[in-house]
Amino acid sequence: DAGVTQSPTHLIKTRGQQVTLRCSPISGHKSVSWYQQVLGQGPQFIFQYYEKEERGRGNFPDRFSARQFPNYSSELNVNALLLGDSALYLCASSFRKGMGTGTSARDTQYFGPGTRLTVL
Amino acid sequence: AQKVTQAQTEISVVEKEDVTLDCVYETRDTTYYLFWYKQPPSGELVFLIRRNSFDEQNEISGRYSWNFQKSTSSFNFTITASQVVDSAVYFCALSEAGDSGTYKYIFGTGTRLKVLA
């Protein structure tokens, strides 16, 4: 099975512009999470979506938004880009095993290759 | 507050040496999960292992082994007989349940491992 895919691989934007990043989860995975990884740091949680609903949000400004589609793919949008938004944006998908709905802390997240965004 | 500390920023070893990557975590929850991921230069985070807070058994997978000690809040990762292909950044992560049935990973800052031929 294919892993998590993300597009585009690289992006160069200028300050003030808007950007949309895309993610396709592993087949059968209904949860998608987005992370920002600044150079030299660990990934920071931005959003989590499950069954097309936002289930969690990290400490990021409202310039960041996301959505999940009926096929469980997802988009991350960032408006009014700042130089500090330059980072690797990682998408992860997970599969909820066992009983219950929603997501669980035990669900392993599988990451895509990321989109490297450079803001000039 | 939840926190993951990887105090070793960078480690260099010669091929075939053993190396241990340290991970210390902080959490107030009794149920939590710990993970290790490998990030090669390509950027993709590769899942290595998951451990829940109730299982303190050490685990071995080939040249990889993990030592989970709840008493010291540590989850260390050892690579035996390191190889050049092991060169990457390794991240330790903590997963906790949040509000509304959500959860997120808290990552450490990573340890860059360089294995020299």
Side-chain angles (χ1 to χ4, degrees):
Chain A
D1 283 344
V4 177
T5 59
Q6 293 186 244
S7 63
T9 306
H10 294 89
L11 264 180
I12 299 176
K13 294 285 188 178
T14 57
R15 280 178 296 175
Q17 286 189 310
Q18 176 264 341
V19 68
T20 298
L21 311 181
R22 295 175 177 83
C23 170
S24 291
I26 293 171
S27 178
H29 287 195
K30 297 182 178 180
S31 177
V32 169
S33 298
W34 287 94
Y35 290 81
Q36 180 196 64
Q37 186 180 14
V38 174
L39 194 63
Q41 298 294 317
Q44 298 289 316
F45 173 74
I46 309 175
F47 285 110
Q48 183 182 79
Y49 276 78
Y50 178 78
E51 288 282 16
K52 302 180 288 295
E53 290 185 5
E54 181 182 308
R55 297 299 188 97
R57 184 185 183 113
N59 189 24
F60 280 80
D62 291 343
R63 300 184 296 107
F64 289 77
S65 63
R67 55 180 175 168
Q68 186 178 31
F69 299 98
N71 66 353
Y72 303 111
S73 66
S74 178
E75 286 183 351
L76 174 70
N77 296 285
V78 187
N79 294 322
L81 285 167
L82 304 174
L83 294 179
D85 295 330
S86 295
L88 179 67
Y89 288 85
L90 294 162
C91 173
S93 73
S94 60
F95 172 72
R96 180 72 164 89
K97 293 182 180 179
M99 300 291 290
T101 60
T103 57
S104 167
R106 72 168 183 263
D107 298 339
T108 297
Q109 295 190 17
Y110 295 91
F111 286 81
T115 294
R116 187 163 298 282
L117 172 65
T118 302
V119 181
L120 303 176
Chain B
Q2 312 97 311
K3 186 178 179 182
V4 176
T5 301
Q6 295 180 255
Q8 304 152 308
T9 304
E10 185 169 315
I11 301 175
S12 292
V13 298
V14 176
E15 206 171 19
K16 297 184 183 178
E17 286 187 358
D18 298 346
V19 58
T20 295
L21 310 182
D22 298 334
C23 172
V24 174
Y25 63 92
E26 295 178 29
T27 178
R28 286 174 291 186
D29 279 11
T30 55
T31 302
Y32 52 89
Y33 293 81
L34 296 163
F35 301 80
W36 275 94
Y37 284 85
K38 173 183 180 180
Q39 188 174 44
S42 60
E44 182 172 351
L45 284 168
V46 178
F47 166 71
L48 295 177
I49 190 172
R50 180 187 73 194
R51 172 67 68 213
N52 73 58
S53 52
F54 297 106
D55 183 1
E56 290 195 64
Q57 279 191 337
N58 292 332
E59 181 155 342
I60 298 175
S61 176
R63 297 184 296 106
Y64 295 170
S65 62
W66 290 269
N67 180 265
F68 175 35
Q69 292 197 330
K70 213 168 178 178
S71 60
T72 57
S73 297
S74 65
F75 186 41
N76 297 335
F77 173 31
T78 297
I79 301 175
T80 303
S82 59
Q83 299 176 1
V84 172
V85 293
D86 295 328
S87 298
V89 181
Y90 290 85
F91 289 96
C92 179
L94 167 69
S95 175
E96 287 188 348
D99 298 331
S100 305
T102 69
Y103 70 97
K104 64 178 181 181
Y105 283 15
I106 306 295
F107 282 88
T109 51
T111 297
R112 180 177 299 277
L113 174 64
K114 292 184 177 180
V115 181
L116 308 173

